[in-house]
Each structure stands twice: as C-alpha cells, then as structure tokens.
Amino acid sequence: MGALTKAQMADRLFEELGLNKREAKEIVEMFFEEVRGALEKNQQVKLSGFGNFDLRDKGQRPGRNPKTGEEIPITSRRVVTFRPGQKLKARVEAYAGSQSE
Amino acid sequence: MTKSELIERITEHQSQLSSKDVELAVKTLLEQMSQALSQGDRIEIRGFGSFSLHYRAPRIGRNPKTGESVGLSGKHVPHFKPGKELRDRVNDGLQRDLAAQAANGS
C-alpha cells in the first residue's frame, strides 16, 4: 500500500468527523505546523501513545569533503530526533511483513 | 508541548472548531498515523518528514538478572527522518539562540 499523506489524513477527518474539506485540510496543516513551531522554539513535543520529538544540540566537529578529502569543520547544529512511545512500538513490533530498509 | 497543549494551540489559531472537535481531530490523526505504521505503511509529510519502519534482525539476548540466553525474534521499529524545512527551522532556532547569547555577552 502507498504512503500516508496529508491529503489522506484530511479525507479521514472529512469522512469520520464530518469536518468540511477546507477545515479538514486546515487542521492537518496546523497539526504539523504547531509541532514544527514548538521544535523551532526548542520545545520538546510529547504526544502520548505516539512518541516524543526531542531536540539535541551538537557541537562543531571535524569533517571532510568526501570527494576531495579536504578537511572542513561541520558547524554546530540542532537536530530533531523521534522516540516512539511504548504503545506505538508495541503495535509496530507486531507487524510481521517483509523487511524494509 | 504535550498533546493537550497542541490541541489548545490549534484551537486558538482557528475560529471554526471547538476544542472538543480539535481534540477528536488530533486523536484521529495520531491514530491514523499509528495504524499506517503498524500495517507497514510509510508516512510522508512534505516539509515535516517521513516515518517508516526499520527492521531489527533476530538476536540472542541475555536476561541481565540470571545471565540466561534468550532468543529474540526480529522486529520492526518506527523511524522518523525530519524533512528539509523542519531541519532548517530547528537549526535556525539554534543559530538565533547562539546569536542572542553572544549579544548578552554570556
């Protein structure tokens, strides 16, 4: 089956909750935008039952241009990591399908 | 930000839906996402990121208390890869914080 996208998520809100199509689309958009906005402000996002989006600051470290072998520092950066919650992990573990990447 | 804070923020930022409606919508979205992953589907949200399953091969584990070996079967675990917009915005947040720190002389 194909990947789940925002369009399908909006369709579900339309079909299951009876939101009109515009509202449904807006809510899906806002859902992801509020999560991005919190992370942008360095706020962890905790969605119980699903998982946590955490932030980690990484210091500058030495790097290398893989093509030329030239040494260039990798600048300090902030990255998002996702830690799935117990409930999601348990549900996914039960998936017995083929081995994905 | 917790799920209930997320629901509050969405409710404040639009005028058509009550907080009860928004709560139900958020729960429906999270359930749909969990469902997709638990049946092996990916989730692809442009500008946010993608969720997929990573496979963990079977291995021999050990009971840390007794030292006994136990066979652990292979399993899938959820994996998230942030999209470009999310990566950039989060990293810009750090650069802003660093600039503010420098301005405060701390």
Side-chain angles (χ1 to χ4, degrees):
Chain A
M1 225 188 289
L4 178 63
T5 62
K6 285 194 290 191
Q8 286 167 277
M9 295 171 80
D11 283 347
R12 176 89 150 239
L13 295 183
F14 166 72
E15 287 159 15
E16 243 176 60
L17 305 186
L19 305 193
N20 71 43
K21 292 213 172 180
R22 189 180 44 78
E23 286 167 346
K25 213 178 142 200
E26 236 175 67
I27 291 291
V28 172
E29 206 56 62
M30 290 177 88
F31 172 82
F32 291 108
E33 180 51 29
E34 294 293 348
V35 174
R36 275 193 298 250
L39 293 171
E40 181 175 30
K41 285 181 266 169
N42 205 19
Q43 293 170 349
Q44 179 199 34
V45 177
K46 291 164 40 163
L47 304 175
S48 67
F50 187 73
N52 297 354
F53 294 91
D54 298 326
L55 294 148
R56 281 173 48 197
D57 286 355
K58 299 179 144 193
Q60 180 178 313
R61 61 192 168 93
R64 212 175 264 285
N65 180 328
K67 274 204 188 116
T68 64
E70 189 194 353
E71 269 202 53
I72 27 166
I74 298 171
T75 54
S76 54
R77 59 197 60 206
R78 180 173 290 159
V79 296
V80 180
T81 57
F82 175 67
R83 284 180 53 97
Q86 279 308 319
K87 206 169 136 194
L88 178 61
K89 274 204 278 195
R91 285 176 72 174
V92 162
E93 221 170 281
Y95 172 67
S98 64
Q99 305 177 7
S100 52
E101 0 81 88
Chain B
M1 178 173 75
T2 61
K3 198 193 293 176
S4 45
E5 287 165 343
L6 171 63
I7 292 164
E8 268 173 47
R9 291 186 199 186
I10 297 176
T11 306
E12 284 165 14
H13 290 165
Q14 52 82 51
S15 48
Q16 299 119 30
L17 300 173
S18 69
S19 66
K20 274 272 157 265
D21 289 338
V22 173
E23 181 182 351
L24 196 53
V26 165
K27 289 185 171 164
T28 303
L29 293 178
L30 289 170
E31 173 55 27
Q32 191 181 11
M33 291 167 73
S34 301
Q35 229 169 49
L37 289 172
S38 62
Q39 64 196 39
D41 288 341
R42 293 170 55 87
I43 305 171
E44 283 174 8
I45 310 296
R46 190 173 307 163
F48 185 81
S50 58
F51 296 86
S52 59
L53 298 189
H54 280 190
Y55 181 69
R56 296 280 176 263
R59 61 190 178 90
I60 307 289
R62 220 169 260 283
N63 180 329
K65 276 208 187 113
T66 64
E68 217 177 320
S69 296
V70 261
L72 299 173
S73 46
K75 63 174 183 181
H76 289 86
V77 292
H79 177 77
F80 175 66
K81 184 170 186 287
K84 178 159 169 43
E85 185 192 338
L86 179 59
R87 280 203 311 271
D88 289 348
R89 284 174 61 177
V90 160
N91 194 38
D92 288 350
L94 170 67
Q95 306 310 329
R96 268 199 303 277
D97 291 352
L98 292 176
Q101 264 172 36
N104 289 330
S106 58

